[in-house]
């Protein structure tokens, strides 16, 4: 399961474990903000959950997470975009 993740995600998980799960320490290590680290972790968790369920990663969630990680999008904005997208998908499937 973990081997299916990209190298950068596996490295992140390794550093996260070595930091005893401290997002604050991870933010310092990577030289980014706490919300950026939180977004990275959320993306990795989502990918792992989907892999466990035999589903491919959600492309929109991946894109939004990458934009947050690069500082091009704020987490709150990404959550709003994802929420609107999911609502539109639900309406379409009804």
């Amino acid at each position: 399961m973990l081997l299916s993740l990209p190298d950068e995600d596996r490295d992140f998980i390794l550093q996260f474990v070595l930091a005893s799960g401290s997002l604050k320490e991870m933010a310092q290590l990577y030289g980014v903000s706490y919300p950026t680290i939180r977004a990275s972790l959320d993306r990795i968790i989502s990918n792992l959950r989907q892999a466990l369920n035999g589903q491919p990663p959600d492309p929109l969630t991946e894109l939004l997470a990458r934009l947050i990680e690069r500082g091009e999008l704020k987490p709150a904005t990404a959550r709003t975009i994802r929420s609107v997208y999911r609502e539109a998908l639900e309406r379409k499937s009804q």
Side-chain angles (χ1 to χ4, degrees):
M1 186 67 50
L2 291 175
L3 293 177
S4 67
L5 293 175
D7 289 342
E8 67 188 49
D9 290 351
R10 289 195 312 268
D11 290 341
F12 183 96
I13 293 168
L14 174 64
Q15 293 303 321
F16 183 69
V17 170
L18 293 174
S20 300
S22 170
L23 294 178
K24 183 178 178 181
E25 189 174 325
M26 291 290 290
Q28 291 173 346
L29 176 68
Y30 280 84
V32 296
S33 68
Y34 178 96
T36 299
I37 288 295
R38 182 73 242 181
S40 297
L41 181 59
D42 288 345
R43 178 183 53 76
I44 292 168
I45 290 169
S46 175
N47 287 346
L48 284 172
R49 283 188 178 139
Q50 288 177 313
L52 284 171
N53 292 327
Q55 301 170 334
D58 175 39
L60 178 67
T61 300
E62 283 287 304
L63 172 63
L64 294 173
R66 297 284 182 206
L67 291 171
I68 292 169
E69 290 171 10
R70 291 192 311 247
E72 298 176 20
L73 188 65
K74 293 184 179 189
T77 305
R79 282 190 295 273
T80 300
I81 292 169
R82 188 176 60 195
S83 175
V84 168
Y85 175 73
R86 288 182 176 166
E87 287 173 10
L89 285 178
E90 286 178 19
R91 281 194 303 269
K92 186 178 177 181
S93 68
Q94 294 175 352

